[in-house]
Amino acid sequence: MTPQRIRVEAAADGQFATNSYLVMDEDTHDAVIIDANMEPRLIVDLARKTGAEVRAVLLTHTDVDHIAGLPVLLEEFGAIPVAVHDAERAGLAEGKPLRTEFAMEAPRVDNLTSLNDHEHYRAGSLDFEVLHTPGHSPGGVTLKIGNLLFTGDALFAGSIGRSDFRNSDGRALIAGIRSRLLSLPDDCAVYSGHGPATTIGRERRSNPFLQE
Ligand SMILES: [Zn+2]
């Protein structure tokens, strides 16, 4: 059996440099979008250009810069499922912002489905393993397909997510990164919620927040 050929395209918005990712099976063109940043047209254009059949939107967490683009994505791709961890599902269903610290409106979304820790989320020929990596926010997840990781705002190249919000937990964040992410092989690629891609090996060796 030949390994699945997965194509990853990224588009960052200008306001928060939040990444939205298009993840597509090169052979079937089944695809998902991971996170819905402030400029959703950028990832819509990439989906159109690559001929992606977008099956679902997966959310690493629900900070507004990761969900603001949802209404546009759902308009473009139809009523596809929006998958989110249960700890942040109610807020999204009610349109309640994740943070009390920001005075920003959050979209209200129907058609929600759950990303559960240790379970798999399947979208066409794509199969993501869900790793709960909370701490930046209660329902933060990392999505793993093959040796590709989408870590949201848990792990960045050379940094980790903020944990100074009321519903953050800095110890849980570091504990989760260590136990769920750094336990993976060095060559796992890391696609973060902000900034460039990296690898598990590089972060294990040099991320200043994760040294003993
Ligand atoms: Zn973010």
Side-chain angles (χ1 to χ4, degrees), residues 18 61 65-66 153 194:
T18 304
H61 66 299
D65 55 310
H66 297 258
D153 287 6
H194 304 264

Side-chain angles (χ1 to χ4, degrees), residues 5 11 13 36 39-40 47 84 95 104 138 152 155 170:
R5 297 186 305 145
D13 66 55
E39 291 176 58
V84 64
M104 286 178 88
L155 178 62

